[in-house]
Amino acid sequence: MSLGTLPNALVVVAIVIAVLVRRLSWSELENSDADVWRGPVILIGVGIYQLYNSHLGLHVVDITLLVVGAVIALIAGVASGRVAQVERRAGKVFYRLGLPGLGIMVAYLVVRLGLVGVGHLFGATVAGGGALMVSIGANLLTQSLVIQSKATHTVEEYTPQ
């Protein structure tokens, strides 16, 4: 593990923990609520910056791992967003992941970290660090978009016409 890898890992862990704690408890959601997508977009941006800065020459293994990581992230994001609970209370929309969403997130993180290990075995240069940040950010952003879609649908169900 290089000296630059530890700060990356700590940033990823801190953001994932903060987002999970927030999403496991009931939180008010507004369609314009930047808190839902701000963290994931920052995580993706930092990850892309790190990938661009340190890995200009990508190999087939690197590209394969990036694509597989992105696909897994999107599938897990859609799945956890779909099982999220969305409720309308006193004219406001609230959401949380609940235990099924937590299970999907934990399974995703285990698979994603396993993919990092496989990448290291095959000599990939982008197995961890920036690629991990982009993948987790994409997962959380996808989850956020699905939750916002459910929230919009919930508001429309209860709005008198």
Side-chain angles (χ1 to χ4, degrees):
M1 179 183 282
S2 70
L3 202 52
T5 305
L6 185 59
N8 285 346
L10 293 176
V11 167
V12 169
V13 168
I15 290 174
V16 168
I17 288 173
V19 169
L20 282 177
V21 166
R22 181 167 187 257
R23 292 183 183 196
L24 285 173
S25 59
W26 286 103
S27 301
E28 184 179 350
L29 175 72
E30 296 178 24
N31 284 335
S32 61
D33 189 4
D35 289 341
V36 173
W37 55 264
R38 185 182 305 136
V41 168
I42 290 171
L43 196 58
I44 291 170
V46 169
I48 289 173
Y49 175 76
Q50 287 183 351
L51 285 172
Y52 179 77
N53 237 9
S54 59
H55 304 294
L56 294 177
L58 296 177
H59 302 280
V60 173
V61 173
D62 298 318
I63 294 170
T64 302
L65 286 173
L66 287 172
V67 169
V68 169
V71 169
I72 292 170
L74 297 176
I75 291 169
V78 168
S80 57
R82 290 192 60 146
V83 300
Q85 300 166 327
V86 177
E87 291 183 0
R88 184 174 170 96
R89 300 179 194 161
K92 297 180 182 179
V93 178
F94 291 83
Y95 78 99
R96 74 175 180 173
L97 279 183
L99 290 179
L102 177 62
I104 292 169
M105 287 296 296
V106 168
Y108 160 70
L109 292 172
V110 168
V111 169
R112 187 59 186 94
L113 291 175
L115 192 59
V116 170
V118 168
H120 283 298
L121 287 175
F122 284 104
T125 58
V126 297
L132 188 59
M133 285 186 175
V134 170
S135 178
I136 291 173
N139 171 270
L140 295 173
L141 183 60
T142 303
Q143 182 186 107
S144 297
L145 294 173
V146 172
I147 290 171
Q148 280 191 323
S149 174
K150 285 178 73 169
T152 301
H153 182 68
T154 299
V155 168
E156 289 171 359
E157 277 182 11
Y158 291 104
T159 304
Q161 301 202 359

